[in-house]
Amino acid sequence: MAESHHSKGGAGILAKAQKRLVRTKAKVLQNLGKAARTTDQTFDEYVSNFNKQQAILTKLQKDLRNYLNCLKAVSYANKTLCDTLYEVYEDDWEDQKSFHSHLESFELHWMDYVSSLNDHVQEPIIIHLNKFPELRVKINKRGRKLVDLDNTRHTLENLIGQKKRDEAKIAKAQEEFTEAKKVFDDINNELQVELPEFYDKRVPFYSQSFQNLFAAEKAFHSEQGNISATLIEICESLSANFILPERKSTIRSVSESNHHLQNVIDSFQQFQMQSKDNGVISLVLKSDSENTTICPSQEDINEPESELYQNVTITNQEHPNSGESSEAVFQRTSPSLQASAKPSEDSAGSVSVCEENVSEYQSCLEDSSLYEVPPNNQSLKKLPDGILYQVQATHPYTQADSDELTFEAGEVIDVIEPDNLEEMDDGWLMGIKQSDGIQGVFPANFTKKLLG
């Protein structure tokens, strides 16, 4: 029994191979013009419309899938924004509960919107698209049976046209021609009805799909508009009813203190101009401390104007050359604002404090070890061979087709070169998940680039 079954299987494979050889030979003869070829312009038009419809519906399905993926990403971003707004709006503000409840409604409407598009638009398109392969099989089968019909007709015509006719061969050829014609007519008649009917159904199908698409869009944006209008009213009411609390300032402004100090400087400059023709002016700012500083402290700036003048004394002495001289002694008891008419070693050492601070800052800038520059401007981490770069998922994604990846936010994916770049859709990448090693395609707008 096993040998009989094996022999039948071998015979079947041999018969199929022989049929393919005969069909190939018949096509070659037709291409060379040595055999007649049956043509049907009406059927060819049906097939052309069928191919166009399949191509445009496939493009619509891919674009709608990308649109839904983008909506999921926007929905996730909207949820994150609403969570932050929820935290910003304080509990004691006006209509706090209403504000929070309307923010939560945003998330529910986004979920309903995406679900409606998937159930009433995307799924019907996929179901309709799955009908094309079945009709494609019938179209290809009709083509093969048409080649068999032309081949049997050509064989019969050659046998009839021979001078020495072989009636047995002619009868067998006539029988094969009749059988081939019957098989071809059966499948051809089916397609002559199915193809135009299937093509005409595209109008009501697209009409219903578009109605579902725009109805979902209208309902979503209408609800979003109503919620946004309510939130605007809440925010306007919050702004209108908010009263600023009264606060008494106890801090004296720096500009006011600087004004008092400027008055002292202006008074001294005026005295200097009036006394320059009468003698030599010496400015002595004495202090109990030995060191001398350049800049006054904050406490000195905040002192009242009267305190800055209380220890100023002016004395006139004879000039050594003219018999008369004048000396102005500008004395102030504040320990932080001191100067000497003649610089001393102590004052020079005190002045160097600012210079030391500048030197310390410059040494920080000149320290090359604070930042390490990679050699040749290359990445410090080398990627394995075959990996173009790495990306990290910013949003979760669930596969819509078997060749896509499913991942969560935060997962790292190694991006690789696709096997067929022409078949890749715009905005899609080929990669391998580091978590489980699964390879597939994924939308680039759900990730951010890390290395490469």
Side-chain angles (χ1 to χ4, degrees), residues 200-346:
D200 292 339
K201 289 180 180 178
R202 78 191 188 284
V203 176
F205 170 76
Y206 284 136
S207 175
Q208 186 61 45
S209 299
F210 294 163
Q211 289 181 43
N212 295 337
L213 172 63
F214 297 129
E217 294 276 348
K218 177 183 178 181
F220 170 73
H221 292 294
S222 176
E223 293 294 335
Q224 292 287 89
N226 293 335
I227 296 175
S228 299
T230 303
L231 291 174
I232 291 174
E233 294 177 357
I234 294 175
C235 295
E236 289 177 348
S237 177
L238 173 66
S239 177
N241 298 329
F242 180 71
I243 301 176
L244 289 174
E246 296 182 359
R247 294 184 178 89
K248 184 177 181 180
S249 177
T250 60
I251 302 177
R252 186 178 183 184
S253 65
V254 177
S255 60
E256 182 179 357
S257 300
N258 290 340
H259 176 70
H260 293 313
L261 181 60
Q262 186 64 37
N263 289 336
V264 176
I265 297 174
D266 292 343
S267 299
F268 178 75
Q269 290 178 348
Q270 183 178 4
F271 172 77
Q272 181 182 17
M273 295 295 295
Q274 293 174 356
S275 306
K276 65 180 180 178
D277 296 332
N278 299 325
V280 180
I281 301 175
S282 345
L283 174 61
V284 181
L285 301 180
K286 298 183 180 179
S287 172
D288 296 337
S289 126
E290 295 181 357
N291 295 330
T292 304
T293 59
I294 294 178
C295 301
S297 64
Q298 185 64 35
E299 290 80 5
D300 297 326
I301 296 177
N302 292 335
E303 288 183 13
E305 181 178 357
S306 60
E307 295 180 4
L308 295 176
Y309 286 97
Q310 65 182 357
N311 294 318
V312 176
T313 59
I314 301 176
T315 59
N316 293 327
Q317 297 179 1
E318 293 183 357
H319 192 277
N321 296 327
S322 62
E324 293 182 354
S325 65
S326 65
E327 179 181 3
V329 180
F330 189 85
Q331 182 177 358
R332 189 171 182 274
T333 59
S334 175
S336 58
L337 181 61
Q338 309 167 30
S340 175
K342 296 182 180 181
S344 64
E345 294 180 357
D346 293 339

Side-chain angles (χ1 to χ4, degrees), residues 119-180:
D119 295 340
H120 300 98
V121 183
Q122 175 80 333
E123 289 298 330
I125 289 178
I126 294 176
I127 294 174
H128 191 72
L129 197 59
N130 290 334
K131 297 177 181 179
F132 283 87
E134 182 180 355
L135 290 173
R136 178 70 63 184
V137 170
K138 288 185 177 181
I139 293 173
N140 294 336
K141 184 178 180 180
R142 177 192 177 276
R144 294 193 298 270
K145 298 307 177 182
L146 180 59
V147 174
D148 293 342
L149 177 62
D150 291 338
N151 185 51
T152 54
R153 181 190 295 113
H154 178 70
T155 303
L156 179 60
E157 291 175 353
N158 287 341
L159 291 174
I160 294 176
Q162 291 180 355
K163 295 181 179 180
K164 186 177 181 180
R165 301 179 57 175
D166 189 339
E167 296 298 334
K169 290 183 178 181
I170 292 176
K172 183 179 180 180
Q174 182 67 41
E175 182 180 351
E176 292 177 352
F177 172 74
T178 303
E179 180 65 22

Side-chain angles (χ1 to χ4, degrees), residues 1-21:
M1 294 293 292
E3 293 179 357
S4 176
H5 178 73
H6 180 72
S7 61
K8 289 182 179 179
I13 295 175
L14 183 61
K16 290 181 179 180
Q18 186 176 2
K19 282 185 178 180
R20 291 178 183 175
L21 181 61

Side-chain angles (χ1 to χ4, degrees), residues 2 135 193 198 203-204 208 408 427 432 441 445 452:
L135 290 173
V193 176
F198 184 75
V203 176
Q208 186 61 45
E408 299 295 334
I432 301 175
V441 297
N445 57 359

